[in-house]
């Protein structure tokens, strides 16, 4: 079985997570970062080559797959160059600052015999995989709506970090944690054709939003009611999926977000108190490993990744529409 040579561009926290999750199917052979020390630190563990210019990394014959974990402003540019160099790509969400940046990337990928996967790793958490299994079995009946919240606590100086600079980030909380909730909701409900929302800066002194509210509807009026916040004060992940035969309640992502847990409330014929089953996942997060393993299999089997540039574009379209309606034209 082929072992893929992997190059990582962006050697911060997420780059380290991706490198750690490669398993036996991928070997880290190249690292690049604007901070040479960070690239050297990650490369040292695997004996990988360090590149001061990511353009040289994507052209390296040692590299089969490029993982891009940079700031938002360079995600699309690096993906485009890697695609043009004939490399397979895993690019972190949101994959670009706006949907327009993805258009040339999507066009280039169609001209190449390569695969591009967008890193929506939340789909691969144990609780979300279990929820998808239950929904796909039909046990929840026809889905009606999703209600979800995602937010993180405060840290001193947040308003001075790169996420508060729209030129680097493309926006605030709505483009940061929002794409995860949008993507998960689309994963369960399908495409949204009606978009309402509001982004606002309540607390932080910065030119981007610190809270985003969304009301999204499918053709069948299945609705996602979503809230993302960086004034949550205590990290939180909560998602409820409602069907005509019961509901699923998901909470936590492990670590600072608390114990990862899913509870299935199965409606009984006589209704009343539902039959309740819960699963808890106190073990370490394996979403990164499950995701990259699936992507390596996509490449080997010549199948299209289920987490695609089209998914990223759909999420960004929603984010941009809400930014425009909320007066954040510099983020749209």
């Amino acid at each position: 079985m082929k072992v893929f040579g992997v190059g990582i561009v962006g050697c911060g926290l997420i780059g380290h997570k991706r490198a750690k999750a490669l398993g036996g199917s991928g070997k880290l052979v190249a690292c690049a970062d604007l901070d040479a020390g960070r690239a050297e630190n990650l490369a040292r563990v695997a004996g990988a080559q360090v590149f001061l210019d990511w353009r040289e990394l994507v052209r390296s014959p040692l590299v089969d797959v490029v993982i891009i974990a940079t700031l938002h402003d360079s995600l699309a540019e690096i993906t485009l160059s890697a695609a043009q160099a004939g490399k397979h790509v895993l690019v972190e969400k949101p994959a670009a600052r706006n949907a327009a940046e993805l258009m040339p990337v999507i066009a280039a990928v169609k001209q190449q015999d390569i695969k591009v996967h967008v890193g929506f790793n939340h789909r691969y958490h144990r609780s979300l995989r279990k929820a998808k299994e239950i929904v796909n079995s039909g046990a929840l009946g026809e889905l009606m709506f999703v209600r979800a919240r995602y937010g993180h606590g405060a840290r001193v100086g947040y308003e001075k970090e790169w996420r508060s600079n729209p030129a680097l980030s493309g926006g605030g909380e709505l483009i940061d944690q929002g794409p995860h909730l949008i993507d998960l909701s689309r994963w369960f409900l399908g495409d949204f054709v009606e978009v309402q929302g509001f982004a606002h800066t309540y607390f932080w002194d910065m030119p981007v939003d610190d809270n985003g509210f969304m009301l999204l509807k499918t053709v069948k009026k299945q609705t996602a009611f979503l809230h993302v916040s960086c004034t949550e004060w205590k990290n939180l992940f909560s998602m409820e999926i409602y069907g005509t035969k019961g509901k699923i309640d998901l909470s936590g992502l492990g670590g600072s977000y608390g114990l990862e847990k899913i509870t299935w409330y199965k409606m009984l014929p006589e209704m009343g108190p539902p039959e309740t089953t819960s699963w808890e996942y106190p073990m370490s997060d394996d979403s990164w490993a499950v995701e990259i393993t699936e992507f390596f299999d996509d490449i080997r089997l010549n199948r299209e990744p289920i987490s695609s540039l089209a998914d990223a574009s759909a999420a960004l379209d929603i984010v941009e529409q809400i930014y425009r309606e909320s007066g954040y034209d510099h983020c749209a």
Side-chain angles (χ1 to χ4, degrees):
M1 185 176 292
K2 178 178 173 61
V3 175
F4 296 98
V6 176
I8 294 181
V9 183
C11 301
L13 175 64
I14 302 302
H16 276 263
K17 285 180 180 290
R18 291 295 184 188
K20 186 178 179 180
L22 290 177
S25 293
K27 177 177 173 54
L28 183 63
V29 297
C31 297
D33 195 286
L34 292 175
D35 183 333
R38 292 204 307 185
E40 290 166 359
N41 182 44
L42 182 58
R44 188 178 303 116
V45 178
Q49 187 173 354
V50 173
F51 289 88
L52 299 180
D53 187 338
W54 60 262
R55 296 168 185 83
E56 295 181 11
L57 182 149
V58 302
R59 292 194 296 265
S60 170
L62 298 174
V63 175
D64 303 304
V65 177
V66 179
I67 294 177
I68 306 168
T70 62
L71 306 189
H72 297 173
D73 64 322
S74 57
L75 292 173
E77 178 188 8
I78 301 172
T79 303
L80 177 60
S81 293
Q84 291 172 335
K87 310 297 185 181
H88 303 290
V89 178
L90 188 154
V91 57
E92 297 297 343
K93 70 84 193 166
R97 290 173 296 184
N98 52 66
E101 287 185 342
L102 283 183
M103 291 178 64
V105 181
I106 293 171
V109 170
K110 289 179 180 178
Q111 304 301 316
Q112 300 285 343
D113 184 23
I114 61 164
K115 307 299 179 189
V116 177
H117 176 103
V118 177
F120 285 115
N121 78 294
H122 286 26
R123 294 190 189 193
Y124 300 88
H125 272 268
R126 289 181 174 91
S127 59
L128 271 301
R129 279 147 44 197
K130 186 64 179 179
K132 189 68 168 176
E133 176 188 319
I134 295 170
V135 169
N136 287 350
S137 75
L140 217 60
E142 184 175 0
L143 298 188
M144 301 185 296
F145 59 92
V146 165
R147 180 169 60 197
R149 296 171 293 153
Y150 195 12
H152 57 82
R155 54 181 178 262
V156 175
Y158 182 78
E159 76 282 8
K160 298 176 182 178
E161 297 178 13
W162 69 268
R163 287 182 176 84
S164 69
N165 181 347
L168 299 177
S169 62
E173 176 66 3
L174 187 61
I175 201 173
D176 182 17
Q177 292 188 312
H180 276 307
L181 289 192
I182 295 169
D183 180 67
L184 290 174
S185 298
R186 288 184 67 250
W187 196 40
F188 287 107
L189 299 180
D191 289 329
F192 296 113
V193 297
E194 295 181 50
V195 175
Q196 295 173 274
F198 178 60
H200 191 67
T201 311
Y202 288 98
F203 179 84
W204 296 105
D205 182 15
M206 58 186 186
V208 297
D209 53 297
D210 58 24
N211 278 267
F213 308 87
M214 294 166 270
L215 187 66
L216 316 175
K217 301 174 187 175
T218 69
V219 170
K220 296 192 294 184
K221 303 300 183 183
Q222 295 164 301
T223 301
F225 180 43
L226 314 175
H227 176 209
V228 290
S229 173
C230 55
T231 61
E232 189 64 43
W233 308 139
K234 170 65 179 73
N235 290 4
L236 171 80
F237 178 84
S238 170
M239 188 170 201
E240 298 164 287
I241 305 167
Y242 290 80
T244 56
K245 297 180 180 179
K247 83 164 188 174
I248 294 171
D249 185 355
L250 303 108
S251 61
L253 294 171
S256 62
Y257 282 88
L259 175 67
E260 186 174 340
K261 181 179 179 180
I262 174 173
T263 301
W264 174 19
Y265 299 95
K266 183 179 180 181
M267 184 193 297
L268 300 175
E270 66 274 20
M271 301 188 80
E275 179 184 301
T276 304
T277 308
S278 294
W279 296 265
E280 295 183 350
Y281 304 101
M283 60 285 284
S284 60
D285 173 18
D286 70 345
S287 64
W288 308 92
V290 174
E291 183 175 30
I292 193 65
T293 297
E294 179 185 274
F295 185 42
F296 287 150
D297 286 342
D298 290 338
I299 298 169
R300 290 193 188 98
L301 300 173
N302 194 29
R303 67 188 183 195
E304 289 305 308
I306 63 168
S307 183
S308 68
L309 289 170
D311 293 312
S313 182
L316 286 169
D317 281 337
I318 291 170
V319 167
E320 290 172 58
Q321 183 171 332
I322 294 172
Y323 275 149
R324 285 192 296 269
E325 293 176 357
S326 303
Y328 288 89
D329 296 328
H330 58 293
C331 295

